[in-house]
Every structure is written in structure tokens, then in C-alpha cells.
Amino acid sequence: MVRAIMHGCNGAMGRVIAGLAENDEDISIVAGIDIADNKDTSFPVFTSLDECTVKADVMIDFSIAKAADTMLSWCERTGMPVVVCTTGLSEVQISRVAKVAERTAVLRSANMSLGVNVLLKLVREAAQVLAAADFDIEIVEKHHNQKVDAPSGTAIALADSINEAMDHAYHYKYDRSAERVKRDKKEIGIQAVRGGSIVGEHDVIFAGKDEVVTFSHTAYSKAIFAKGAIQAAKFLAGKEPGLYTMADVIG
């Protein structure tokens, strides 16, 4: 059985992951890290990583971006493999993730959903045919009114997946209201919608002359991200140092 530390255990996603792990015979949350200890867990909770004395095989990080630096330093120092699920990381922090991966196994994906990661693969393949045939590309993402970053990390990952398939020939357009110009053929438009309790919706639109192809993914609960994080933790435990993604998990 894989023994995991849950970093951000009392956050919304941390609680979901802990709940799913209780019914999973292959993984166990043996310790939690959170600045707030609500005492309502089946495992010990520490307010800092340096206080944690529990032995584990892997860490699942689903916290906030400002806690990432301390977490990454601790994993680098101890050699603890880590699944980085926290979104909104800065470019400096993303570079730090890659540096830590030289010392221990690190898995980072913009979205932990298995469905989204299949979508990343599909739009990459579609772009090689449709973008090459002059289809315009637009991405629309929708999330709840509490999400602070926009566009979402998943929307950026979808754009990056397409752009990589097209040898980075595209630039991203986030706001069309700033200027009145025709659409550039080499742009990927990315629009964000925030409202209500929308868990997460992403549409990738390939718009050509007289036809439109749309790839869509809808998340109905946060459980899909938790399930992906748990599968990623099982995969990462015991792996050699390196930077992994959910593409490695789904094969």
C-alpha cells in the first residue's frame, strides 16, 4: 500500500482526496499538513512540514501557490516524491518544480482529471489536421465565482498542447476588447467565464469555413480531480527522479 502525505489536507480538495483514499485499498493518507487543524481527520495533522515525523512514500500537494516554495524545498531536501496539483503557480515556481525533479520524482499537471488529459491528446492531434487547414482556434473556459486565476491553468495547457503540435506558431489572445482589429490567423483566443458554482467546463473550438468542430469537457464534481491525484500518487511512488505528467499515468 502506498503511504501518502496530504499537503493542504483541510482544504476542499484535500478533504475530498482523504475521503476517497479511505475507501481505496491501494493508498492510505498517513499524515496531513495544513495551517488549520480542524481535528476531524483519521490521520495526524501538522501545521508545518518540518514538524511531520510520519514516514511516507509520496506527497500529494493540493494547497495554494504561496505555500509551494516551502513545500518544494522540503521535498528537494528529503527526496520525497510529490504530486503537485496546486494551480496558479508563477513562472518562477514552475521552474523550481523542474529543478526539484532533478532530486526526486515530481508529477505536475495543470489538471488532474483523466478526461482532461485525454482531451489534451485529442486537441493536439486535431490541430495537426484542422489548424493546418486554416481553422481558427478558440478556447472558452467556465468556472465558479470563487476561482481567482483566469484563464484557468487547464485552458493554458490546452492552448500549449495545440501550439506544441504546430511548432509554436501561435500566440494567445486573452482580451479582444482592448483593440478593434480583425482576428489574427495565428492566434488562439482564450476566454474566461466566472459564475455560480460551475466546477469546470472547457470548450476547444476549431472554426473553419462552413464547419465547426468542438471538443468539450465538463466536470460535475471535484471528485474527478481527486481521483486523478490519487492515481498519480500511486504511479509516482517509487519512481526515479524526474518530471512526470498525467500523460505518463494514462500511458
Side-chain angles (χ1 to χ4, degrees):
M1 176 180 286
V2 173
R3 299 166 298 173
I5 295 173
M6 185 67 237
H7 186 243
C9 63
N10 289 327
M13 286 306 306
R15 292 194 298 271
V16 174
I17 291 171
L20 290 175
E22 288 183 357
N23 299 311
D24 193 317
E25 297 179 351
D26 298 322
I27 192 168
S28 175
I29 305 298
V30 294
I33 310 297
D34 206 294
I35 57 173
D37 183 2
N38 60 16
K39 308 295 184 183
D40 187 26
T41 60
S42 59
F43 46 82
V45 176
F46 304 90
T47 57
S48 73
L49 283 163
D50 288 334
E51 295 176 0
C52 182
T53 57
V54 180
K55 292 184 178 180
D57 305 304
V58 65
M59 175 187 292
I60 302 173
D61 167 59
F62 231 130
S63 55
I64 56 177
K66 68 179 182 180
D69 295 329
T70 300
M71 179 273 298
L72 289 170
S73 294
W74 187 85
C75 290
E76 183 178 38
R77 186 172 69 252
T78 63
M80 176 67 69
V82 57
V83 179
V84 180
C85 307
T86 297
T87 60
L89 299 183
S90 68
E91 291 299 322
V92 172
Q93 289 174 316
I94 292 172
S95 296
R96 182 85 174 101
V97 168
K99 188 68 175 178
V100 173
E102 297 175 5
R103 298 291 302 275
T104 188
V106 180
L107 187 148
R108 177 183 175 271
S109 286
N111 190 302
M112 300 307 295
S113 158
L114 296 176
V116 164
N117 281 277
V118 171
L119 179 61
L120 288 166
K121 180 179 180 181
L122 291 174
V123 298
R124 184 184 304 116
E125 294 174 352
Q128 293 172 333
V129 177
L130 300 178
D134 290 330
F135 278 58
D136 296 323
I137 307 167
E138 294 285 316
I139 298 172
V140 180
E141 58 97 345
K142 306 173 186 177
H143 284 87
H144 52 84
N145 57 22
Q146 300 301 303
K147 187 172 179 63
V148 296
D149 54 317
S152 69
T154 300
I156 298 297
L158 287 165
D160 287 345
S161 184
I162 293 168
N163 213 5
E164 289 168 7
M166 303 307 295
D167 295 324
H168 301 279
Y170 287 79
H171 64 273
Y172 304 158
K173 186 78 169 182
Y174 301 109
D175 181 11
R176 298 193 189 283
S177 67
E179 55 184 358
R180 295 177 62 83
V181 295
K182 286 180 61 177
R183 187 187 195 284
D184 189 337
K185 295 296 295 182
K186 291 299 183 181
E187 74 182 29
I188 298 176
I190 306 176
Q191 308 302 321
V193 176
R194 296 290 175 268
S197 58
I198 302 171
V199 176
E201 297 181 17
H202 292 85
D203 292 329
V204 182
I205 303 164
F206 292 89
K209 184 174 176 56
D210 300 325
E211 62 178 331
V212 175
V213 179
T214 302
F215 293 85
S216 299
H217 178 273
T218 300
Y220 292 103
S221 81
K222 292 180 178 180
I224 65 168
F225 310 120
K227 290 176 182 176
I230 288 174
Q231 285 195 257
K234 294 177 186 177
F235 166 86
L236 199 64
K239 287 290 188 296
E240 293 295 320
L243 187 58
Y244 302 84
T245 70
M246 286 298 289
D248 297 303
V249 178
I250 65 176

